[in-house]
Structure formats: C-alpha cells, structure tokens
Amino acid sequence: MNTLVSPMDSVAVAIVGSGGAGSITAGSLLLEAAGRIGWYGLMTRSVGPQIRGGEALAMVRLAGAPVGSHGDHFDVLLALDWHNADRFVDEVPLNANSLILAEAEAGEPPAVIMASGARLVTLPLESLAEGVEEGRPNIVALGVLARLLALPLDELLIVASRALERKGLDVDLLQETLKTGYDAAEILDDSIRALPPAPARGTRWRLTGNEAAALGALRGGVRFAAVYPITPATDLSEWLAVRLQRVGGHLIQAEDEIAALNMVLGASYGGIPSLTVTSGPGLALMSETLGLAVAAEVPAVVVNVMRGGPSTGIPTKSEQSDLNMALYGLHGDAPHLVLAANTVSDCLSATQWAVQLAEALQCPAIVLSDQFLGQSQSVCEQPVDHDGLGVASRLVAVEPGSAGRYDRYALTDNGISPMALPGTPGGQYTADGLEHNAHGIPSSRAADHRAQLDKRRDKLLHYDYGPLWADVEGDGELAVVVWGSATGPVREAAARARAQGLAVKVLSLRLLFPVQPTRLSALLAGVQRVLVVEQSHSQQFYGYLKAHYALPGEIRVLNQPGPLPIRPAAVLTQLLQWR
Amino acid sequence: MNTLVSPMDSVAVAIVGSGGAGSITAGSLLLEAAGRIGWYGLMTRSVGPQIRGGEALAMVRLAGAPVGSHGDHFDVLLALDWHNADRFVDEVPLNANSLILAEAEAGEPPAVIMASGARLVTLPLESLAEGVEEGRPNIVALGVLARLLALPLDELLIVASRALERKGLDVDLLQETLKTGYDAAEILDDSIRALPPAPARGTRWRLTGNEAAALGALRGGVRFAAVYPITPATDLSEWLAVRLQRVGGHLIQAEDEIAALNMVLGASYGGIPSLTVTSGPGLALMSETLGLAVAAEVPAVVVNVMRGGPSTGIPTKSEQSDLNMALYGLHGDAPHLVLAANTVSDCLSATQWAVQLAEALQCPAIVLSDQFLGQSQSVCEQPVDHDGLGVASRLVAVEPGSAGRYDRYALTDNGISPMALPGTPGGQYTADGLEHNAHGIPSSRAADHRAQLDKRRDKLLHYDYGPLWADVEGDGELAVVVWGSATGPVREAAARARAQGLAVKVLSLRLLFPVQPTRLSALLAGVQRVLVVEQSHSQQFYGYLKAHYALPGEIRVLNQPGPLPIRPAAVLTQLLQWR
Amino acid sequence: MGKPQPILSSLEAKDYKSAVKPIWCPGCGHFGIESALFRALAHLGLPPEQVAVISGIGCSSRLPAYTECYGFHGIHGRALPMATGLKLARPDLTVVVASGDGDAFSIGGNHFIHACRRNVDMTCIVMDNEVYGMTKGQPSPTTPPNWDCKIAPGGTGVSPFSPLMVALASGAGFIARGFSGDRNGIAKMLVEAIRYPGFALLQVLSPCVTFRPEEKDWRLQVHPSELPTTANWAEATRRLAADDGMTTGIFYKAELPLYPATVMEPIDQLNAIETELTL
Amino acid sequence: MGKPQPILSSLEAKDYKSAVKPIWCPGCGHFGIESALFRALAHLGLPPEQVAVISGIGCSSRLPAYTECYGFHGIHGRALPMATGLKLARPDLTVVVASGDGDAFSIGGNHFIHACRRNVDMTCIVMDNEVYGMTKGQPSPTTPPNWDCKIAPGGTGVSPFSPLMVALASGAGFIARGFSGDRNGIAKMLVEAIRYPGFALLQVLSPCVTFRPEEKDWRLQVHPSELPTTANWAEATRRLAADDGMTTGIFYKAELPLYPATVMEPIDQLNAIETELTL
Ligand SMILES: Cc1ncc(C[n+]2csc(CCOP(=O)(O)OP(=O)(O)O)c2C)c(N)n1
Ligand SMILES: Cc1ncc(C[n+]2csc(CCOP(=O)(O)OP(=O)(O)O)c2C)c(N)n1
Ligand code: SF4
Ligand code: SF4
Ligand SMILES: [Mg+2]
Ligand SMILES: [Mg+2]
C-alpha cells in the first residue's frame, strides 16, 4: 500500500464557522472536487454541543496516497468567523508554517489560536460575497482554497452546482462567486501549497465508515436489521434502512436495544442473515442477549460504533474504549467473534466478514468501528472485494431427521452442527439458552455442559480465518501492534520512520476474538521491541494482548483516551526515540 | 487457621431421596445437631429439574476444622430410595471405603453407583418408621447416622423437635423414631466412623452465603435494596427483605434488573447506602447502569451470585464464569470495584467491605459470590468483625458552596470529592453520566475528559485497601493463586500437601479490582511455581492474572467449568506431581 | 403474509406433543394450556414444522420444548421481539408466543406494549398465575397487593393492573381471556387468535398450585362473558373497565392495519447502490 | 412522607434557573416547560435544594442542569426507577422527573407503566414532541405512522398510542396534558401535580422546531378540555377514549393508595438479627 511518507505529501485544511456559515459544506465540496480528479482524502466534522446550529469545523486532508488520519498539523485554518472557534483549538493543531485565513471583519482571532505562531492573512470574504448576487462567503472561501491548492476551479464548480442545485442556486453566479475568491487569493501566491500530483483519475469512492459498514452487511447478505437510534451509529441505520428496502429487506426501529437484538435473533433463527447497529450504552444493554446467541448458536452481527465513554460519555467523539466490553462483556464462558475495522473503507470488509463468520460459525459477531471511522468521509479506492468475501452461507440441515433423531447441537468434528430452518419437516427443535444436550434438551449434567462448552469454543478455534485476521506491513525488529482507527496514524508514522531509515513492522488486528497466538508469534518472530498503540485510557488493548499473546522483547504502550486522535508524530516520536 | 489435613479429619454424608422423602430435612438436622456440639460443617443441596418435588440430595460434611469443600469422596451415601438417584452420581463420588446405606425395599442400587466398589448395607427404614406412630423414614435414618457418627441422640432430638414443631410432631414419638434407627444401626458397629473430637462448644453460627452477604450489607449500613428475583440469588433478597423492614429500611422488587439498579442509584444519590442482588443474566442487564454509577460517581453495591453460564445456562449450579463480565463488562474506561467472597461466611465480610469501599470511593462495587457459597449452609465460627469494617461512611459536603461554587467533581488529591446530599442548601448540582467538568457541567473537552478519567482511576488506585485484599496462608516456592469458592478445596489440598512435607503458599484474592500488582509481587517473592485454580472453562482468572500481574516462574492452570466442584484431590495431585 | 394452508388433514393433538417431559408440578395450570394449544393446532391442521413457539423464561416459558413445533426458549421477558423478528423474516410461519405474567408484564412489559401497538401477526399466550412460579413465589404485576410472601412481607401494597386494559390502551386488536381448566374453551379461542391477522393476546388464568394454592378456587370464580365480542374500541374499553378479571371470552377483535413490511424478494440490485458511492 | 413546607416565601421563578446555557434549538418547545417549572416551584415556595429533578437522555432530559435544584441526568429511559429509589430513600424531597416521548414511552416504556402502577409520590413531565430530537429525527411511539424519515422511509406504518390512556390503564392517579406554548397553563398543572400525593403524569406537547417544523401549528390545534377533572376511572377512560390528543387539562385525579414503604428510623437492632444465626 502506497502511504504518506512526509507531511509534505498531503495538505490539511480546517474550515471553521458558526452555525449556518457553511464550513461543513465548503469542506465536503473541497473533498469531493479533489476526489474527482484522483486525490485521496478524508474529512471529519466537529460541532459544538447545540443540537442545531452552533459552531462547526470541517477538517479535510488531501493527498496522493490513502489518508488514514488528519496528520500532525493543519496547513490552513480558514475561519468564516471566530464565533466560539476556540473550542476547536485542540482539534486543529497549527504551527509556524501554518496559514490562518480569516474573514477580515471577524475581529481578532482567539489568542490561543495565534499562539501557534501561524501566519494570519485576512480576506474580506463577506464583502466579496456581497459583490455577487446570491454570493456566499463559504463559496468565496472555496475559490480562495482552489487557488491556494492549485485545484481546478471547474471541478469545484461541478460539485458545488450539483450539491447546491436543490437550493436553486444559479450555476453562473456560483462560478462568479468561486472566481471572486480565486482572484482575491492572488495575495496568497507566495503561499501556494499545491497538492502533490494526483495518482489516477476516476477510480475513487466517497463514503463514510458507517455507509461502508452498511454496504458490507448488504454484500454479506444481511436482509433484516433491527436497531435503536444512538449517536454515532444512527446514520448507519438510516443509510441502511432505505437500501434494505430497495433490495427487499427490512430495517425496523425497535423500542430499545434489547428488543433490537432479540428481533435480530428471531429473524436469524428463521434463516435470514441479520444485524443490529449501536454504540457503547446500547451494546451494554445487548450483553444478556448476546449470551443467548452464543448458547443457542444463532448467527447475529452487532456493529458497535464506539464513542467516548464511560456511560453517556462524549457521544459525538471517538474513542477505542469499548474493547473490553466487546471481548469480555458476556456472562458465563461465552466465546464469540470480535472484529475491528481499521480504515473507513475497511468498515465494509470487516462487516462483510463478520456476517460471513457469524453465519458460518453460528455465533454472534461484534464489529468494532468508532466515531472517527464511522462518521468521517473518505475518498478512497473502491473497497476491495476480498477473496472469498461474498454472500455468507450457513450450514443448513437439508433433510433433518431423515437418518434418525435430528440433533440440533450435534457434536461434530469442527463443532458446527447443521441448523434446521423453521418450515423444514423433521428438523423441529427448540433453540435454548439453558445448557442442553446435543438434541437441545435442557441438561445440567457435567458431561453435557462440558461437551457443549468445548463445542462452542472449538468451532471458533478450528476455523481457518485466512489472511484477513490481521494486516501486516513492513518488517523490522521493531513492531507496532495496533487495532482499529489508531491504525491510520500508526501506518503514517511507520512510513515516515522507514523514510528515515528505521525498519518498522505494523500489525493491525482485524480479528480480535478468537485470539490467534500462534499466528501472531509467527509474525513477531525476530521482533525485539513492540510498541502497542491504542486510544483508551486504561490500556485495554495492551491488557488484552498480555492476557492472550506472548509479546516478544521489550514492550511500550502509547495510549491516549479520546476525544483527540492519536497523531502520527506522537507515534513517530516513540519509534525514533527507541532506536 | 485450623484446616483439614487428612480425609480422616472429616465425615462426608450424602442423603438422597425422591420428592417428599425428606433427605434435605435430614441433612439439615444432622448439620445443626453437629454444629450445636461444636463441629464445623457444610451442607449443600442438589435437586432435579422439577420445580417442586423430584429427587433431592443433601451433601453434609462435618469436621473439627472449618469446612470449605465437600472433599474428595463421601464416606456414607444414605438412600431413602433410588428414584432417579443416578442423576447425582457425579456429585457424590464414592470409593471402596464408602458405605452405602439403603432402604431395604428400594430395590437394586443403580449400577453406576455400585461400580464405585462401596459396601452396601440395606436397612428397613420404612418398615421401622411404620413401627412408630408418626414415624418417618428420614428420621429413622438420622438415628442410624447418629450411631454411625457417634453423635449424641439428644442433640438430634432437640434440633428435630424444634424444626418439626410447626408440623405438630410429638417429641416423644420423634425420640422413639430416632431411637429405632439408632438401635437398628447396631449392625453397623464395625463401620463406626466417629467424628473427630469437637473443637469447642457454643460458638458456632449457621448460615448460608446468601444470608451472610445480606448480613454484611446490613452491617455495612445498607438500608435500601431494589432487586429482581433470579436463581440462585433470590433467597438473599428474601432473607434481606424482612430484616431490612426490621431495621427501618426497605427492599423493593423492581420490574426488572435495570430498574433495580437505577432505584439503587437514586436512593444512593439521596445518601442511603444501597444494594442490589442478582446473578449472571441480571448482571448483564445492569451493565449500562453500572457505567452510569462510575461516571456520575454514585456508590452502589451489586452482589452477583454466579451460576453456570453462558445465557440461562445452569441456574441451580455453581461456576466462576462471570468474572470477565464483572471486571470488564462496562463500556468505556470505567474503573470500578470487584470483590469476591471465598467462604460461605466470608460472603459477610466481602459484602460489608464492598459497602464500605463503594461509599468511601463513590463507585459501584460488584461482589462475586456463587451458587455454592450462596446456597450452602455453613456451620462456622461467628464471622469476624474485621478491623475497621464497621458502618460505611461517605465523604459528604457539609457546607457546600460556602467558600464559592460547589464543585461536585472537584479534582482533589485523592480523587474523592465531597458529595452534597439533596436537601443541603448550596450543594445543588446535577449528577451526570455525560463527561463533565469539575462542576458537573457536560464537557467534551479533552482536558476535562482526561482529568475526570484520571480522577476516577486514581481514587481507586490511591486508596489503601489494607490486608483484606487477599488471604495469605503458608509459605514456599510453590504458590497457588485462587479466588472465590475454589479457595475451599485449594486450602484443603495445601494443608494435605504440607502434611506430606510440601511447602505451599496459598493466595486467595478478595479484591479483584483495582488490581494490586505490587502487593502480589511482594507476596510472590521467592516463588518459583504458580498454580492457578479456578472454576471456569476459558481460564478467565488466569487471563486476568496475565493481563494485570507479573507471575513469577513456571505457571500451571487447573480450571474446570461447573457444575461439579473442584475437589481437593485434584489440586493436591497437581501440587504433588509438580514437586 | 398469508397463513399456511392445511396440507395434512389428519393431524391430531398428540402429533404436536414432543417426548420431553414437562418439569411442571403435578396439577399446574400450564398443562391445560399445553393441551389446548395442541388441540387448536390440530384443528387448524397446521403442520408442526410450520409453527414456531417462542418463549422467554419461567415455568410457562418452558412450553416450546414440549411441542413438536419449532421453538425458541430465549431469555426472560424478550419473547415478543424475538417473535417479531422471526415473523418479519419468515411471514410464511405461524408464530405463537408462550409467556407468563412475570415474563410478559414485569421484565417484558415494554415489549408487551410495543407488540400490541406494532401489530405483527402472531398469537401471544400469557399464562397468568399471578406469581413468579419458576423462582419460587414472588409477586408479579398481576398479584394482589396484600399477598404475603418472603420478598414482600405483608404484600407489596401495589395494585395489580389489568393486562387486557393495558393491551387495549396500547393498541392490540385481539384481546381475550381464558381459564386453563377449560381446555376446549382455550383451544377455541386459540383457533380464532391464530386465524386473526395481527397481534392476538390471550391471557389464560393458570393456577400455580405450588406457590398460590388458593388459586385452585379459580375454577369456581371464572365465568364466561355474557357479552359478544366487540369490534368497537370505546365499547371494549368500557367493558374492560368494568371487568372483574375473572371473565373469560374474546372481548375485542378489530381490523387494524398490520405492520407493513417484511423481508421479501429483492426489487433492486446491490450494484445500483454501490454505484452511488463512486465519485 | 409529607411535602416540605415553604420556608422562603420570596422565591421567584428566576431563582430556579441555573447558569448553564441550554443546548436547545432556538424556538424549541422545551424552553416553555423549563420556565413553567420554575414558575410552579416558585409558586409552591419550594427551596431549590429540596427539589430533585431526575431525567434520562434526550433534549428534554437535559432539563436538570438548567435548574438550580438537585439533579440527576441519568441514562436513556431509566429516570423513573431512579426517581423511585430516591423518593423511597428520601421521602422529604420533592421529586420531579423530566423525560421525552422516546425516553419515557419507547426505551423507558416498562418503567413508565410500572411507575403508574406503583404510585410513588412524584411528578413526571413528559415533553412530547412526537420525535427523537436528540438523535436528529427518528419516530417515537407517539409519531404518526406516515411520518416520512430516514430510518423509516415512508413512515413506520405503526399507529401511535396515547400515553395518557396507557397510563390510566396502568393505574396512574393523576393524568394531565399541557402545551408548551402555554407556560402559565402548564405551571398551574404542575403546581397541582406536585401537590398531588402520588404519581402525577403531565404530558406536555412540546414542538421540535428542528425535526418536526410542522409542529409549530400545534399552537392552533390545542384546545382546553371542556370537561372538569374527574375522579372516576371509568369516566376518565371514556373521555380519553374519545380524546383527539390535542386537548389540554387535568383529565383524571383520584385518591389512590400510595406505595407503602420508605426508608425510616430503625425499629429493631441488628444484634437481634445476628443472634438468630447463632446455633
Ligand atoms: C434476566 C433475568 N432475570 C431474572 C430471571 C429469573 N426468572 C426466571 S423465570 C422468572 C419469573 C417467571 O415468572 P412468570 O413469567 O410469571 O412464569 P411462571 O414461572 O409463573 O409460569 C424469573 C424472575 C431470569 N431468568 N433472567
Ligand atoms: C441506551 C441508549 N440508547 C440510545 C441512546 C440515544 N438517544 C439519546 S436521546 C434519544 C431519544 C430522545 O428522544 P426523546 O426522549 O423524545 O427526547 P427529545 O430529544 O425528543 O426531547 C436516543 C435514542 C442513548 N443515549 N442510550
Ligand atoms: S411452580 Fe407453579 S407455575 Fe411452576 S410448574 Fe409448579 S405449579 Fe406450575
Ligand atoms: S432538536 Fe427539537 S427537541 Fe431538540 S432542542 Fe432542537 S427543537 Fe428542541
Ligand atoms: Mg407466573
Ligand atoms: Mg421527543
């Protein structure tokens, strides 16, 4: 994979403004226009606590290689106004090379922002906009950015006119507004921070992680979903609802999360691959029902889009702190599948794989995504159709009972027992969360308990998960072990370290449970130092690694809670200091 | 602590019979009579799947030292009839030295039982009982056992007449019935298996772990409880309900477990130490609310009486498999207290301590007990009033706001902030599960999140838990690390190993979270081999130890799921084989 | 969405009984409901494999394994959403829910009111013994306030509610009450409930002889409704408002809009959706 | 159990307002409810520290921090049990619950029906905007079936239920509806609700101007009830059965037995209990 090696390979732009100023629209249009001519990109939005309106920030990073983080610093901070903009100061690190472009009439920039040493240039965006009929300052600003980034104006015009057409904006006037900004940016020609060359044209997708996960579910064959809304997972459900309708499936909003997962189990028991979508508090509520899916061996997928915790926490911000609950949050010995997406577009593969594994192994699968992956828009390559990741299939009992009693929980070699679907004559059985014998009859006998515990563990252990279980990049005596969205900054840091002559191996685990200690050991053969990177306060991932894997050599941990992302520079510093 | 060193130090009797035969009554009376004259003892009951009636088994072990397990073999199996008795065969291991006493008219004993090689003696219990007015075979059997165990008949008469008085049984007739059995047992005089000498008279308590936990809660100051019934925790609630009434408190049955814990939080927010009681599936449902207690810093105690899992599992049997969920089952980074009781009577101390810690640390505490501890009757010494375990106290804000704004979540040195109780002028604040600043106002700022995460972690880390955190016995290069009810058989095995010249150290952890790595390391200094013992299928305790502690030297794990208990001999074998 | 047609005309009640021995106490009211269900299914001629019996946890909820139908013995209180998911995914099946007063009205109360409202086609039998049988005798939402028990010495002091009134208020379209001692009576109501296209609720008074032995007297207290089934909501409200809780019969049966969507054959290709994501 | 007596006679509405700035959208109906609550508390002369406002999660549930009272902003749907625990532990406090149609009737539906039945003394305000505001526009149990939205394109097809009817069926003793545009009207009802010794439910129609802009028309649609408050359950049932959902007023107010127990002074010593355990 082609990666970002130097901060110069990319351009990071932040656009801030108060409610209605259009900073988010400007950011989106910038991303889309760049994507259309072959760039990669990432856009993340951040807003204040108000339900509607209030200050908003668009963070856009564009590059000639896939973008998995917002980098270390922003090259440009464009302020449509300064209203409450200081709340974003932590999210938009600037340095002396950064450029602050501000509306001239907006007054003094907040002192904390100026403290970065960045150069300030003011522009009369509002009065320029007033000079054009229907002119808007955010579109003027886009024109400014186009010149600064050497981005063709006509691409911006295409995306802007398409996006704004339902508002009835006139294309010629739009063009004029953009041009006004472009011309006004002449004074910035000394700062031109042109994008590096675009790698290729026309192969790009634009999607959020939540959309990607929904599409992965559809590709995997999911045709029923039951959900309860929760930030930041609701948009996944909303995107999926209408698409499920189109493919003949159905999404139902349940009365709560417990109902949602029970509906999923009911539909799945009926033979339809099914899923639910939630975030921390909702996953907590599903814990009892997940245990039922384990014991009764019913496939089910739960996509958990993590947010800041504990409790209601920080619903609109990202954190990797539901790991423990996903791995261990069920009562009893309840082996199940836990997967994690490590890029926006990987939300697709991880979810599709989860559907496949859940169906193949008759077991619930939790997919961990997070607010950053789920709600960031990525311009990326068309998500790979990984080998073998097609429509999921389940081992169905075709003529159950034809050769005697049908044993739903038969002890087979690989632990997977053919499942009779309701409607099939001779396959009648009662799925049960009580411990049972092979036939499904409740039993408290030690031998039955042991046999079924073994079966449920072994079916997961003996399955061949193939290469998808982890992404491996590079080589060296120094390895970084990471998971989920922390992979983006780690990859970038590793690429930079390599450019500086330090060999670094990166392992990003996609399959978190069942654990793969032999495979990890093989991959870590020869490694002397391991850096563990994660976005949690209590080193949950490191605890998990210690519990289940033998990590070689010296170990360090770089962990940090949300809401701020881990930056490549922080990882790079750790790597370089450790030479 | 005085421990069982040889199997000869105790007598283990199993009494089996079909519904209504009175095997459980006989077992209880035997235990009580022995206890009255200074014996220690333990009685556990086991029943078939029928809701009422059906076969029942009483397992009673009596000894001159505290009894923490049922040992390896039963000395006597007394069968009032053989109806479905074979279902208990795994629970009642017999060997060639065992004696089977069976009702003469009950027919052949099940072959699996005779396969043990035990000696069979039949007695006409029923016809003997018929010979006395109001005579019952189970009371005749008690007379038989009295002779066999050299237990004074008059003690049995006292307990039996008290227990049966509400059935209106005549004392003289009872005595006659007992005597009939006693006399009939003459043929057994070659088998007299007299109890070892009783250590002391009159200091014994008789209680179950569930009663002990309830009493611990009361001692700790709990005056409000909200529960939802669930096996095997319901009897704790039922015992507590009437006692709370007597001390001016109240127990309410909520509509479900989620309501129960939220009621507890409401009452605790109001300043009253409060608790709920549940088992696996209920704890799973409480997970989201536990996170709220962590984030909003509200004291609360949850006693979780573990049963076989996963899902509905084996509700009437014991297992230590909710450990993972108790430790890690909350979303977000949610540090909380997890304690475990390691004997029946320790359910008292563990719960009382939990109340104290929860109140002192403004944090939820989960107490792990299990079906074995909770529902076994122990005859034991009066539970110690551990140093400093009195009535819990909370750091209350006395004159909040008198020196300016009252900050509910003020960042103090030890992380504990004075809590204003509703009704106190000037202390008004809003408790919140959203991340907040020191004042309690919702905040998504990184600095506030970090400060509160640090605070919530550090208050637990910096507290001095004193010696109660673990029980330590013995010394040696070989150590057993154990928790909960598995401690009983481990202690017994260690005592036997020591008697055979093998030095063994036993560490039983009472405080599972926060972890105490420095203390454990200090205790394990010089240890070369560590045996981890637990009753779970997936080595949950071992995983926990690996994640949080550095265990020295070579490590082995003895783990086994429920429903059968870990036997001292299994532990002893591991220890001796490892010399 | 249509109900499967009888394909075997010769099914008898015993064809629906499995080999699993009930754990119920001798004399438990639940036996009567089991046998009434078999009679109803036989009468309808529904092949056992076309029927799914979904339950939660409780003595009552043990029913599925005692039938020769497909079954799911789920977790406490959650049978209704599970049945909802199943029916939406598999509209061809006949879905029956077996529940108890604790399972349906206490922990499952939220799903109960929402199932009434949502109107997915299924039959919900609540075996109401006004107690938690399985956990050995605690009060449920239908237990009288002064019932003395260990967990609430002297009684809870809380008035029981009428589940049928709550169901009506929540939007259920078929509301009936039976008595487990009257097997044929329940069987008949079940036939009508299963035929009813929507959510049908049948509360069955089912004595718990072990923990509420006084309920044996129900036999003397139940009485059939003197009024015919009404399709008028306000009228049904009036009747249930005046009801003593011991009346049996189908009180209310109305035509209501069914929950509209299920899983069906695809009407669009996934490709079309994927294309929308390309720039 | 008695309500605290006013000790300050000079409290004004503004004394109940905290310094925390609401996150609500300009024009949100919830503002009206906030201010009505302040008026009611001032009218009752309740010292702010004697009042606890308990909520779940939602725009509506943000209310506690905006008051100068004690507050608990708990988790979604669970305010009622939390308030129950608080009131039983601290009968001296005035307990007010702030909830929304999603919080109280969807995820919190079970606690809602049981709070109605249990009758612990508290006032429950449900700010009903027939939508999930906080999560940006999904249908709630009171949303019309044909309301088109992203998560249910074309509408859910499920009929809304009347929470007041459900409350009545579940046993609530004080049932009222107000409109957030009528601050004085709500304030008056709140005064009566808080004085009512038992569980008092006040549904307030509170437009969500952002996700249900059409609700601005509610101003034109609401109308006060023409009938006086009744204490007769059957009568209340009839009236709610005929209600159009836009009537405001106190429909029902009855004397019902309160939940009997609270935490009190000890009446026995722990020692006595311990002694029972000795052999
Ligand atoms: C989450 C959870 N909480 C509690 C229980 C314990 N439990 C099992 S059955 C039951 C009550 C059953 O009562 P009901 O539904 O009336 O059925 P009955 O036994 O009376 O037929 C309870 C509380 C459980 N299994 N799961
Ligand atoms: C367990 C859980 N599930 C879901 C959510 C997400 N959530 C927050 S508020 C809300 C709905 C609020 O609707 P309502 O109660 O009507 O309040 P409103 O915002 O309309 O005033 C939801 C679904 C959550 N916080 N917790
Ligand atoms: S306990 Fe009651 S409900 Fe349960 S089986 Fe026995 S009689 Fe029936
Ligand atoms: S989203 Fe609706 S309910 Fe929420 S604050 Fe805005 S207007 Fe009010
Ligand atoms: Mg019942
Ligand atoms: Mg709402």
Side-chain angles (χ1 to χ4, degrees), chain B residues 474-525:
Chain B
D475 226 321
E477 289 187 349
L478 173 56
V480 187
V481 182
V482 65
W483 75 285
S485 66
T487 306
V490 164
R491 281 189 177 143
E492 199 169 331
R496 288 196 220 158
R498 285 182 206 116
Q500 299 187 35
L502 181 68
V504 180
K505 185 168 207 160
V506 174
L507 302 183
S508 172
L509 306 194
R510 187 175 287 101
L511 182 69
L512 296 168
F513 204 90
V515 296
Q516 307 291 316
T518 324
R519 296 180 117 168
L520 191 82
S521 290
L523 284 172
L524 291 180

Side-chain angles (χ1 to χ4, degrees), chain A residues 139-140 142-143 153 156-157 174-182:
Chain A
I139 304 297
V140 175
L142 266 183
L153 258 196
L156 269 173
L157 184 63
L174 253 183
Q175 179 163 30
E176 201 181 323
T177 318
L178 283 167
K179 188 76 174 55
T180 309
Y182 192 89

